[in-house]
Amino acid sequence: MILRVFIVEDEEMIRKGLVYTVDWSAMNCMVAGSAADGREGLNGILEKKPDVVITDIRMPEMDGLEMLEEASKTCSFRSILLTSYTDFEYAR
């Protein structure tokens, strides 16, 4: 089974790095799409219905936590949260 991954990250270098430098096929995954902010990410998740969403927490338009909460009302997926902030309590 190939898992469909959707990546949401506002920093272009990180987003493109995740999309293009990770050997997704070695993990039985494929990138179904990516987005540059939470609003665009929500639309992409609802459209692509991925198995896994990898997202930054803090982004413009809509933060990653809010985006995941909203998308989970309609879609079922696993999520991985990225953050460069030292206070992980925000993610909890």
Side-chain angles (χ1 to χ4, degrees), residues 37-39 42 57-64 66-68 70:
D37 64 51
R39 182 79 50 209
L42 176 59
I57 294 177
R58 293 194 181 177
M59 296 181 292
E61 301 298 320
M62 174 185 283
D63 72 36
E66 183 181 357
M67 177 195 70
L68 292 172
E70 192 63 33

Side-chain angles (χ1 to χ4, degrees), residues 4 6 32-33 40-50 71 74-75:
R4 296 169 37 85
F6 196 86
E40 184 182 334
L42 176 59
N43 292 334
I45 294 166
L46 297 177
E47 178 185 330
K48 304 288 185 179
K49 299 193 180 1
T74 307
C75 301

Side-chain angles (χ1 to χ4, degrees), residues 4-21:
R4 296 169 37 85
V5 177
F6 196 86
I7 298 168
V8 187
E9 168 60 62
D10 61 320
E11 292 188 41
E12 184 177 14
M13 185 180 297
I14 296 171
R15 183 177 65 255
K16 286 185 175 182
L18 288 168
V19 171
Y20 297 112
T21 64

Side-chain angles (χ1 to χ4, degrees), residues 59-92:
M59 296 181 292
E61 301 298 320
M62 174 185 283
D63 72 36
L65 299 174
E66 183 181 357
M67 177 195 70
L68 292 172
E69 183 178 340
E70 192 63 33
S72 68
K73 293 177 183 176
T74 307
C75 301
S76 176
F77 54 86
R78 297 286 186 165
S79 56
I80 299 170
L81 299 171
L82 305 174
T83 184
S84 61
Y85 292 93
T86 57
D87 184 8
F88 193 71
E89 286 302 312
Y90 182 77
R92 288 184 181 196

